[in-house]
Amino acid sequence: MGNKRDFLSLWDVTETEFAALIRRAEELRFLRQVRTPHATRPGRVLALIFEKASTRTRVSFEVAIWELGGHAVVMGRNDSQLGRGEPIKDTARVMSRYCHGIMVRTFGHERVRELADYATVPVINGLTDLLHPCQVLADLQTVYAHFIEHETRTPAGSVPDVVQVLRSLRYAWVGDGNNMANTWIEAAGLLGLDLMLACPAGYQPNPDVLETALRKGHGRIQVVRDPREAVAGRHVISTDVFASMGKEEEVEARRRAFVGYGVDRALMAGADGKAIFLHCLPAHRGEEVSDEVIEGPASQVWLEAENRLHAQKALLEWLLS
Ligand code: CP
Ligand code: NVA
């Protein structure tokens, strides 16, 4: 188990590995559509540890490992000794002796890092306050799938190159500079994407994440205030809740601070005519997104949610190989 790989941040994969994950995720999407079994990881056991609520992450990982021929052990906040204060480093060493991989959703990013440091099996970040890499992997699979299906961006007969397709588009983020915004910044750095984020004062993305992406990466990343400037002519418009998990006490203050940052029809009208709308969900209609946009023709949120399953299967095949 000496050479285990983790997936805590998008920087844990190379551009080539990222593209391979998206290609495999697309193959797995097709295999499932045509009901071809693909139990490529029989007998593997994946632990799922949740210190925060989840619908998509919980179900998609559980179904993913099951369809790969393995099994999930799910632990909620109050089911394990972690909830009673057992150190994460002890949990990591014990779980590594039972399971072939550990996915964890928690608060501080340092908890996932500590788990990965002490675990001898691969650790996957299923969301921290800082990053949500599994979601952006699925988001970029969605972008790739949508734009190769709806637009010809490569010569007929050739397999569209993942990075080339993703780089041919322009991306916008509107709203909170949260874990999703930070992960989009990582993606832009890693893959060389053109990303503009509009965040209100006091709700900027993490400065270290931004600095790392600008230093290590080769994307074009700008943070502005005006949502209209951020979406102008762009192909992929993403947003997320104004108050993430753990920020419940700030809901009212954030509602006031984010006035004008909701993605509605008027804002989408400024994007490229073929733009798509993404949201990791859960969504608050009438706050960060209007009902009209999330239910409208540009919305790809349901395929985006589905792709969590396929993208994570590709990830599990790779990490549990
Ligand atoms: N998008 C996402 O991670 O959803 P859950 O919180 O339901 O897992
Ligand atoms: N930013 C949100 C994402 C939920 C999937 C949160 O952290 O609550």
Side-chain angles (χ1 to χ4, degrees):
M1 298 252 180
N3 293 323
K4 68 137 177 161
R5 296 282 299 267
D6 299 311
F7 188 66
L8 311 188
S9 145
L10 291 183
W11 290 114
D12 287 335
V13 295
T14 63
E15 181 183 292
T16 307
E17 287 168 339
F18 188 95
L21 287 172
I22 301 270
R23 273 198 309 276
R24 180 62 180 154
E26 279 292 280
E27 278 169 12
L28 288 162
R29 184 162 73 98
F30 175 74
L31 289 178
R32 197 169 191 266
Q33 258 166 19
V34 298
R35 297 180 191 277
T36 302
H38 42 273
T40 58
R41 294 295 174 269
R44 304 297 206 287
V45 179
L46 179 69
L48 305 177
I49 302 175
F50 288 96
E51 299 196 298
K52 285 177 176 171
S54 170
T55 296
R56 280 144 289 270
T57 304
R58 150 98 204 239
V59 178
S60 59
F61 266 111
E62 196 167 343
V63 173
I65 190 68
W66 190 81
E67 290 187 357
L68 292 179
H71 180 74
V73 176
V74 186
M75 295 198 304
R77 192 165 176 69
N78 300 316
D79 304 334
S80 76
Q81 301 288 5
L82 270 172
R84 295 178 60 248
E86 181 167 13
I88 200 127
K89 60 185 180 184
D90 295 1
T91 308
R93 286 173 286 188
V94 172
M95 300 294 286
S96 296
R97 287 167 185 259
Y98 305 136
C99 304
H100 303 94
I102 305 170
M103 187 241 65
V104 60
R105 165 171 287 197
T106 188
F107 291 86
H109 195 70
E110 66 288 350
R111 281 178 76 71
V112 175
R113 282 221 189 92
E114 190 180 351
L115 190 76
D117 285 346
Y118 282 89
T120 53
V121 297
V123 172
I124 298 170
N125 175 4
L127 180 148
T128 62
D129 291 344
L130 188 70
L131 297 171
H132 195 3
C134 293
Q135 182 68 54
V136 175
L137 186 63
D139 291 6
L140 286 168
Q141 182 193 348
T142 310
V143 171
Y144 175 72
H146 177 85
F147 282 97
I148 60 169
E149 195 177 321
H150 293 85
E151 278 191 64
T152 313
R153 286 181 175 264
T154 44
S158 67
V159 178
D161 179 82
V162 171
V163 174
Q164 213 175 314
V165 170
L166 296 179
R167 261 189 218 151
S168 71
L169 301 162
R170 296 168 72 230
Y171 300 77
W173 175 268
V174 179
D176 192 16
N178 63 10
N179 42 12
M180 281 297 300
N182 292 335
T183 315
W184 270 104
I185 289 171
E186 288 198 340
L190 179 73
L191 303 169
L193 308 181
D194 182 334
L195 170 69
M196 192 179 277
L197 306 98
C199 310
Y203 298 96
Q204 303 291 295
N206 181 283
D208 297 335
V209 169
L210 184 58
E211 190 273 323
T212 303
L214 294 172
R215 179 172 43 80
K216 269 174 59 171
H218 54 119
R220 178 174 160 77
I221 308 168
Q222 294 163 271
V223 184
V224 298
R225 283 273 187 279
D226 183 359
R228 282 163 306 187
E229 184 184 351
V231 304
R234 293 196 172 245
H235 305 96
V236 179
I237 314 300
S238 300
T239 189
D240 188 11
V241 290
F242 294 151
S244 286
M245 289 181 274
K247 304 281 182 201
E248 287 77 8
E249 282 168 15
E250 298 176 22
V251 165
E252 277 315 314
R254 283 172 175 262
R255 254 190 210 129
R256 289 191 293 276
F258 284 89
V259 169
Y261 284 82
V263 179
D264 57 14
R265 194 160 58 144
L267 192 66
M268 284 299 288
D272 182 87
K274 292 178 180 157
I276 61 168
F277 170 77
L278 297 180
H279 189 312
C280 65
L281 306 176
H284 294 162
R285 289 164 169 80
E287 291 186 24
E288 77 276 4
V289 60
S290 67
D291 187 66
E292 205 174 25
V293 167
I294 198 167
E295 300 290 352
S299 175
Q300 288 295 319
V301 301
W302 313 119
L303 178 61
E304 180 187 7
E306 180 190 320
N307 283 339
R308 292 292 303 278
L309 173 64
H310 312 303
Q312 287 158 196
K313 268 188 198 163
L315 186 66
L316 290 172
E317 280 191 337
W318 176 60
L319 290 174
L320 306 184
S321 60

